[in-house]
Amino acid sequence: MNIQTANRLVALRKERGFSQEELAAKIGVSRQAVSKWERAEASPDTDNLILLARLYQVSLDELLAISDIPASSPPPPEALAEDEADAASEPPEPRPFEAPAPPAEPNGGWDGASPPQRNYLKLTRFPYPVLAVLIYLILGFSYRWWHPGWLIFFTIPFYYWFAAAVDRSRQG
């Protein structure tokens, strides 16, 4: 991340009246992560950039625009010191797990306060090779199909190909 984008993030946060800790809580990251973004030591990932743009009610182009920001040095340490002084000595508290509520609105119920979540079972994480071994052993011991039973192992790559396609379609 360049310094102009970091300065833009600081300016937008202060315009909206958020502290680093409040912003971090709203988008679900640590205060240290926000601080690193604003000091240009790290870059927010794509999901966090989208959440920031929605929270600040600007487009991604506006959020990342560097043409309208004059090239300058990083914000003075005293500007960031007030935000960092509050939580510098204490680590962030872990957030308790909360099950997402079903969406009540057509837009998924996203109000800008917390990211939308979808809880899909990732089929690529299922241990299909273990299932294939169990099926092979059942066929072998029950029906004495040891020789033709090994063909079940050829289904493993097809399972993962199919599972990856289903997982990708659920994401988009």
Side-chain angles (χ1 to χ4, degrees):
M1 170 181 293
N2 60 32
I3 195 68
Q4 290 88 4
T5 305
N7 288 342
R8 176 85 170 145
L9 291 175
V10 172
L12 286 169
R13 177 179 57 79
K14 290 192 176 193
E15 282 175 17
R16 302 309 191 272
F18 295 129
S19 68
Q20 288 180 338
E21 195 166 330
E22 290 170 333
L23 177 63
K26 285 192 177 288
I27 62 173
V29 296
S30 69
R31 185 209 49 85
Q32 290 85 355
V34 173
S35 177
K36 284 183 180 183
W37 299 341
E38 293 180 356
R39 287 181 282 149
E41 292 178 6
S43 298
D45 63 9
T46 307
D47 293 336
N48 288 330
L49 283 172
I50 292 169
L51 290 173
L52 286 168
R54 287 181 179 169
L55 184 65
Y56 294 148
Q57 297 176 344
V58 296
S59 69
L60 283 174
D61 290 339
E62 291 175 68
L63 183 67
L64 298 175
I66 59 172
S67 60
D68 61 341
I69 300 173
S72 64
S73 60
E78 51 274 355
L80 295 175
E82 67 181 49
D83 294 325
E84 294 178 0
D86 295 338
S89 62
E90 54 190 72
E93 293 183 22
R95 295 184 324 180
F97 174 77
E98 298 174 4
E105 300 175 15
N107 67 354
W110 194 78
D111 60 355
S114 61
Q117 296 180 1
R118 294 182 182 147
N119 289 331
Y120 291 123
L121 173 67
K122 293 219 178 238
L123 295 176
T124 53
R125 292 187 179 176
F126 179 75
Y128 184 76
V130 174
L131 179 64
V133 168
L134 289 175
I135 292 171
Y136 175 72
L137 291 175
I138 290 170
L139 291 175
F141 285 120
S142 299
Y143 302 105
R144 304 263 186 236
W145 287 357
W146 295 106
H147 183 68
W150 62 267
L151 293 172
I152 193 76
F153 295 112
F154 283 121
T155 65
I156 293 173
F158 294 109
Y159 170 81
Y160 284 108
W161 171 76
F162 175 76
V166 169
D167 287 346
R168 273 194 304 273
S169 70
R170 286 181 176 174
Q171 288 177 352

